């Protein structure tokens, strides 16, 4: 049974063609991975099929009475809501039915409604059956179960959502979505900001999920473990592959080689035909043969190779050698209004590459900002070494940036020529269209590449990286790992992907050793 049919979809965004006459279908129970390089239009596709963005052309048809659950990588939570409020909002329709039933019960006490008593009793009985069928009186138990699975109980379910980290908010939105039990899940990079324990829980959940889902993810091991269909977005087209990511790669490379071989044969044939026409069109005896070959040339359907996407080339310049000790803390307690840690001693020496791990909200980003002096510690002190030249990569860019990529980098390096700015962005895998676009309209991966361009533009002897792999596509991730392995300076990095930092880190430190909140 088909759940979703998309036919002849075309769409331009910001003057750039995203989709060209593409089709997509989803059958009941399919677990689909939607993959492609940064900026190819994966998140745009979700916005189109959910109706939040109108396509330029095409037909989107959902099966009747389908309930859709959409996890948006840019979703936000309203201030004033607690974690429990958000999770219980998954059952809003049931609470509405309960309120309707209670209102009828109130009306039963009105003597003027006595003649409608039988009708009201019947209506309340129907609602009661509906609530029982949907386990309404088990809602608290369901909320507690999923909240515990994502580590939200430890935060306190009465905590205001505005007090939480980006990763904690992502977990709340994901937990709410799973509580809704929709007929189809649309998940846009759900593992971003999730720690290893909760990624594993989500992996098992999706493996056993009976309904259909579409998953956007650049986490290849995670993706490969949960999907059975691949849709690949490339060069404004959408291609379907049966199997997991490994099978896709095998078939994709084979198709690519076959197309290249066909292209080479056609180019040779074209060259031969053009040569024959040039040599024989003026001779009376062979003019008809030349015209016949020219006609064949004119009517030939040309094979076009897929445009090769620019591959990023990351390289971080190294500044002068710093002192032996880069950071040393004394009885440091980190936090904002309240402490997030016990007094901790943190020391980092030159030529080390340290990875920090631990649950969301445990204080990893706060520790980085405390070491850099961006926020003041609640107690204790931080001593930085001498001659430090620090390159800092934050998790996200500010959402209200209104500059183009070109302007964003030029503001950072005002002495550069336009050629230098464009070259620096191009080295990160950004095209001319990207470079001239507003930063806020770019995908998360493209925005990350802009920030990496800033890091590469200035020599450093210490890179402080907060979840640098979030949003990056597979090619960019692999290239970043290679560049960090070659980097001659020191690295302090927060990362939740072991396959990324294995072979890169000289030391992995768990933040749970000093955290106030247990993982």
């Amino acid at each position: 049974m088909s759940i979703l049919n998309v036919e002849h979809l075309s769409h331009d965004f910001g003057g750039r063609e995203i989709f060209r006459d593409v089709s997509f279908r989803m059958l009941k129970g399919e677990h689909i991975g939607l993959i492609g390089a940064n900026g190819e239009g994966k998140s745009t596709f979700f916005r189109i099929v959910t109706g939040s963005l109108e396509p330029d052309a095409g037909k989107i048809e959902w099966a009747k009475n389908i309930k859709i659950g959409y996890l948006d990588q840019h979703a936000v939570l309203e201030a004033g809501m607690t974690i429990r409020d958000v999770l219980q909002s998954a059952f809003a329709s049931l609470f509405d039915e309960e309120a309707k039933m209670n209102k009828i019960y109130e009306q039963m006490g009105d003597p003027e409604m006595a003649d409608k008593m039988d009708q009201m009793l019947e209506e309340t009985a129907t609602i009661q059956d509906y609530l029982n069928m949907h386990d309404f009186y088990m809602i608290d138990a369901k909320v507690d179960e999923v909240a515990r699975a994502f580590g939200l109980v430890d935060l306190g379910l009465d905590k205001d959502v505005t007090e939480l980290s980006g990763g904690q908010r992502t977990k709340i939105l994901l937990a709410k979505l799973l509580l809704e039990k929709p007929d189809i899940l649309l998940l846009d990079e759900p593992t971003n900001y999730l720690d290893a324990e909760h990624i594993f829980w989500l992996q098992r959940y999706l493996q056993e999920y009976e309904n259909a889902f579409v998953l956007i993810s650049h986490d290849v091991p995670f993706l490969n473990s949960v999907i059975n269909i691949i849709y690949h977005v490339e060069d404004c087209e959408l291609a379907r592959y049966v199997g997991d990511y490994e099978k896709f790669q095998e078939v994709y490379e084979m198709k690519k080689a076959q197309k290249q071989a066909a292209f080479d044969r056609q180019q040779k044939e074209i060259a031969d035909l053009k040569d024959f026409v040039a040599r024989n069109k003026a001779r009376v005896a062979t003019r008809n043969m030349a015209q016949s070959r020219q006609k064949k040339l004119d009517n030939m359907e040309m094979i076009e190779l897929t445009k090769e996407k620019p591959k990023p080339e990351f390289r971080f310049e190294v500044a002068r050698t710093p002192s032996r000790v880069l950071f040393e803390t004394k009885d440091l307690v980190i936090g904002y209004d309240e402490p997030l840690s016990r007094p901790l001693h943190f020391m980092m020496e030159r030529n080390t590459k340290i990875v920090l791990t631990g649950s969301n909200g445990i204080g990893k980003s706060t520790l980085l900002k405390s070491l850099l002096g961006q926020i003041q510690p609640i107690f204790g002190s931080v001593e930085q070494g001498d001659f430090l030249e620090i390159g800092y990569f934050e998790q996200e860019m500010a959402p209200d940036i209104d500059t183009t990529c070109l302007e964003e980098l030029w503001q950072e390096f005002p002495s550069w020529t336009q050629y230098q700015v464009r070259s620096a962005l191009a080295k990160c895998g950004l095209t001319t269209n990207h470079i001239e676009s507003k930063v806020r309209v770019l995908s998360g991966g493209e925005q990350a590449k802009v920030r990496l361009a800033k890091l590469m533009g200035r020599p450093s002897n210490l890179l402080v990286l907060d979840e640098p792999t979030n949003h990056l596509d597979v090619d960019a991730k692999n290239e970043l790992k290679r560049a960090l392995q070659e980097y001659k300076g020191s690295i302090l990095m927060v990362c939740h992907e072991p396959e990324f930092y294995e072979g890169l880190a000289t030391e992995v430190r768990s933040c749970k050793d000093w955290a106030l909140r247990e993982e």
Side-chain angles (χ1 to χ4, degrees):
M1 175 186 171
S2 180
I3 297 174
L4 170 63
N5 273 317
V6 176
E7 297 177 2
H8 307 298
L9 173 67
S10 295
H11 189 66
D12 288 1
F13 186 71
R16 184 158 55 103
E17 189 177 29
I18 304 296
F19 296 113
R20 184 192 315 119
D21 194 29
V22 305
S23 295
F24 175 95
R25 66 184 171 89
M26 181 177 214
L27 305 179
K28 185 177 181 181
E30 283 187 334
H31 293 176
I32 294 175
L34 182 60
I35 65 170
N38 292 138
E40 287 288 346
K42 301 181 297 296
S43 297
T44 301
F45 181 79
F46 272 10
R47 293 178 62 205
I48 288 172
V49 299
T50 55
S52 63
L53 181 65
E54 187 72 25
D56 297 332
K59 178 182 175 185
I60 293 96
E61 188 175 21
W62 288 94
K64 290 182 179 179
N65 302 319
I66 287 292
K67 184 180 179 184
I68 305 164
Y70 175 30
L71 179 68
D72 181 359
Q73 61 170 289
H74 301 298
V76 294
L77 292 168
E78 293 180 17
M81 295 186 74
T82 66
I83 296 175
R84 189 184 302 279
D85 290 336
V86 175
L87 298 183
Q88 287 186 337
S89 69
F91 306 98
S93 62
L94 296 180
F95 283 111
D96 289 344
E97 289 297 314
E98 183 197 35
K100 182 179 175 182
M101 182 176 68
N102 290 336
K103 187 174 182 180
I104 295 172
Y105 281 141
E106 289 176 11
Q107 292 173 343
M108 286 180 180
D110 187 347
E112 295 182 6
M113 303 293 288
D115 58 332
K116 295 183 179 179
M117 186 63 69
D118 290 344
Q119 178 186 336
M120 289 190 291
L121 285 171
E122 184 177 339
E123 194 171 351
T124 55
T126 301
I127 295 174
Q128 188 66 66
D129 288 343
Y130 178 80
L131 295 176
N132 289 336
M133 184 172 65
H134 289 84
D135 298 328
F136 177 72
Y137 300 103
M138 297 290 290
I139 284 178
D140 287 342
K142 288 180 180 180
V143 166
D144 287 344
E145 179 187 356
V146 174
R148 193 167 286 105
F150 280 98
L152 301 175
V153 172
D154 295 336
L155 298 177
L157 297 186
D158 295 323
K159 198 177 192 71
D160 192 298
V161 292
T162 56
E163 300 175 18
L164 305 175
S165 70
Q168 290 168 335
R169 289 194 291 270
T170 297
K171 286 198 285 191
I172 292 166
L173 288 166
L174 184 55
K176 172 181 175 283
L177 195 61
L178 300 185
L179 284 167
E180 289 173 346
K181 289 193 173 177
D183 300 303
I184 175 173
L185 282 171
L186 302 179
L187 304 173
D188 193 350
E189 301 196 57
T191 61
N192 281 357
Y193 314 113
L194 295 186
D195 49 76
E197 176 190 352
H198 302 119
I199 289 175
F200 180 67
W201 186 92
L202 179 61
Q203 177 181 312
R204 284 187 304 160
Y205 181 91
L206 292 178
Q207 286 170 342
E208 298 169 4
Y209 192 64
E210 295 179 356
N211 294 334
F213 66 76
V214 186
L215 168 68
I216 296 173
S217 179
H218 297 298
D219 185 338
V220 173
F222 176 79
L223 183 75
N224 205 35
S225 68
V226 298
I227 55 95
N228 51 36
I229 298 288
I230 288 281
Y231 269 93
H232 182 220
V233 191
E234 184 179 55
D235 199 22
C236 306
E237 297 179 351
L238 199 55
R240 179 184 172 96
Y241 297 81
V242 177
D244 60 13
Y245 188 85
E246 304 285 341
K247 184 65 177 176
F248 152 74
Q249 285 186 306
E250 179 186 328
V251 177
Y252 174 74
E253 290 301 327
M254 183 175 66
K255 284 175 65 176
K256 190 175 177 182
Q258 289 172 343
K259 192 171 185 179
Q260 181 68 56
F263 175 82
D264 293 340
R265 286 194 300 270
Q266 187 181 67
Q267 291 300 304
K268 184 180 185 308
E269 183 183 5
I270 289 170
D272 291 343
L273 289 170
K274 284 182 176 179
D275 179 63
F276 184 89
V277 170
R279 287 187 293 104
N280 293 281
K281 64 181 178 181
R283 296 172 57 191
V284 175
T286 56
R287 185 180 301 158
N288 288 341
M289 294 172 63
Q291 288 175 344
S292 175
R293 281 165 172 75
Q294 183 62 53
K295 188 175 181 180
K296 184 176 181 180
L297 269 172
D298 294 341
N299 294 330
M300 186 177 290
E301 187 175 336
M302 297 298 179
I303 298 171
E304 292 186 12
L305 295 178
T306 301
K307 296 176 185 175
E308 287 291 330
K309 293 290 181 265
K311 302 284 186 185
E313 297 177 17
F314 300 132
R315 185 173 182 274
F316 302 99
E317 298 287 343
V318 183
R320 63 179 293 184
T321 304
S323 57
R324 181 181 66 84
V325 176
L326 306 181
F327 290 118
E328 186 166 14
T329 71
K330 183 177 180 182
D331 296 327
L332 178 67
V333 176
I334 61 171
Y336 290 88
D337 297 329
E338 296 180 2
L340 282 172
S341 73
R342 295 187 286 272
L344 66 98
H345 179 71
F346 184 96
M347 188 175 79
M348 181 176 182
E349 295 188 353
R350 184 178 63 226
N351 297 329
T352 56
K353 296 180 178 180
I354 297 173
V355 171
L356 301 177
T357 65
S359 296
N360 299 120
I362 205 171
K364 303 184 297 296
S365 298
T366 308
L367 175 60
L368 295 187
K369 291 177 180 179
S370 299
L371 294 174
L372 294 174
Q374 292 189 359
I375 60 174
Q376 293 301 309
I378 288 178
F379 185 79
S381 61
V382 177
E383 186 175 342
Q384 292 188 1
D386 297 326
F387 313 119
L388 279 184
E389 298 290 343
I390 300 172
Y392 176 44
F393 182 94
E394 291 189 82
Q395 274 191 20
E396 299 289 345
M397 297 186 88
D400 56 349
I401 290 178
D402 197 41
T403 54
T404 64
C405 294
L406 192 68
E407 293 165 342
E408 187 68 18
L409 204 61
W410 226 335
Q411 288 175 5
E412 190 81 7
F413 305 104
S415 64
W416 283 11
T417 65
Q418 183 170 153
Y419 174 78
Q420 286 176 303
V421 173
R422 287 181 177 273
S423 295
L425 290 167
K427 281 183 180 178
C428 291
L430 297 169
T431 66
T432 300
N433 281 334
H434 296 138
I435 291 168
E436 295 173 355
S437 296
K438 297 277 190 181
V439 174
R440 56 182 164 77
V441 306
L442 299 182
S443 71
E446 291 164 335
Q447 290 184 2
K449 290 172 183 176
V450 173
R451 283 177 285 147
L452 287 169
K454 290 182 180 181
L455 282 189
M456 292 194 297
R458 188 172 283 113
S460 64
N461 48 36
L462 171 63
L463 291 176
V464 178
L465 311 173
D466 196 352
E467 301 279 17
T469 61
N470 281 352
H471 306 299
L472 287 184
D473 57 47
V474 175
D475 286 340
K477 237 188 255 190
N478 291 339
E479 172 61 12
L480 179 59
K481 181 172 182 176
R482 183 206 61 76
L484 293 179
Q485 286 173 323
E486 288 188 358
Y487 179 61
K488 301 303 182 185
S490 306
I491 297 172
L492 179 59
M493 176 169 63
V494 171
C495 185
H496 67 265
E497 297 187 49
E499 63 276 6
F500 180 79
Y501 60 74
E502 284 173 0
L504 165 62
T506 59
E507 186 180 350
V508 178
R509 297 186 189 178
S510 173
C511 295
K512 71 178 182 180
D513 295 337
W514 45 259
L516 284 180
R517 182 174 66 81
E518 295 296 327
E519 292 192 88

